[in-house]
Amino acid sequence: MAAKSAGLLLYRTTDQGEVEVLIAHPGGPFWAGKDEGAWTVPKGEYGPGADPLAAAYREFREETGFDAPSGATISLGELRQPGGKRVTVWALEGDLDVAQASSNTFEIEWPPRSGKIREFPEVDRLEWAGVSRARTKLLPGQVPFLDRLLDAL
């Protein structure tokens, strides 16, 4: 059975009327030198029987250090990612200062086969990006969420 993830795509509208979305750069050594096509919606896995929307809110808090803003969510549906994972995303209007973000961490053996366990942030940085910029930054399998957001707005 494919893994399932849920996330919140925070968005805001600039004074010029441009829609910006909050995207997250994965932490850890695998993603360190990657930029275009490497960013993600703040999201995380959830298990069988779990409420996906509750998981999306939990993961937003864990990956950004912020409680998600209050407000009505917009369902952007589910997409199957190239690796098979199913990702469900909701959009939520809000704003936050990315400079104040802090992510939870994970541990892995690094370098591989070294016997050394190192700790890395799950998300090493957040960025507000206009939709056109976000199209180049996001993992390709998540780009359709941007179109769904624009259609919903």
Side-chain angles (χ1 to χ4, degrees):
M1 185 170 173
K4 292 185 174 187
S5 284
L8 292 176
L9 181 59
L10 205 63
Y11 71 93
R12 66 185 185 186
T13 305
T14 67
D15 293 339
Q16 295 74 34
E18 181 184 16
V19 175
E20 294 181 328
V21 293
L22 184 71
I23 57 175
H25 187 270
F30 177 77
W31 299 101
K34 297 180 170 115
D35 187 47
E36 289 194 5
W39 294 65
T40 184
V41 171
K43 63 171 183 46
E45 291 188 9
Y46 64 94
D51 175 16
L53 184 55
Y57 275 90
R58 179 194 70 232
E59 291 296 327
F60 186 88
R61 173 79 173 122
E62 289 179 3
E63 294 191 353
T64 68
F66 296 100
D67 289 325
S70 60
T73 57
I74 302 168
S75 175
L76 301 180
E78 180 182 86
L79 289 171
R80 183 182 178 280
Q81 302 301 285
K85 181 184 283 187
R86 300 219 173 254
V87 178
T88 304
V89 170
W90 289 264
L92 181 63
E93 187 172 17
D95 198 1
L96 56 82
D97 179 2
V98 296
Q100 302 301 315
S102 65
S103 175
N104 60 340
T105 60
F106 67 96
E107 292 182 340
I108 60 169
E109 181 181 12
W110 193 259
R113 297 175 298 283
S114 67
K116 297 177 184 174
I117 302 298
R118 295 199 37 210
E119 186 175 36
F120 297 95
E122 244 186 271
V123 168
D124 61 19
R125 64 190 180 276
L126 297 173
E127 177 181 310
W128 283 105
V131 172
S132 61
R133 179 173 168 80
R135 284 184 195 286
T136 65
K137 296 287 187 180
L138 279 175
L139 292 162
Q142 293 180 22
V143 170
F145 287 126
L146 299 173
D147 295 322
R148 291 177 181 185
L149 171 64
L150 293 177
D151 288 346
L153 297 178

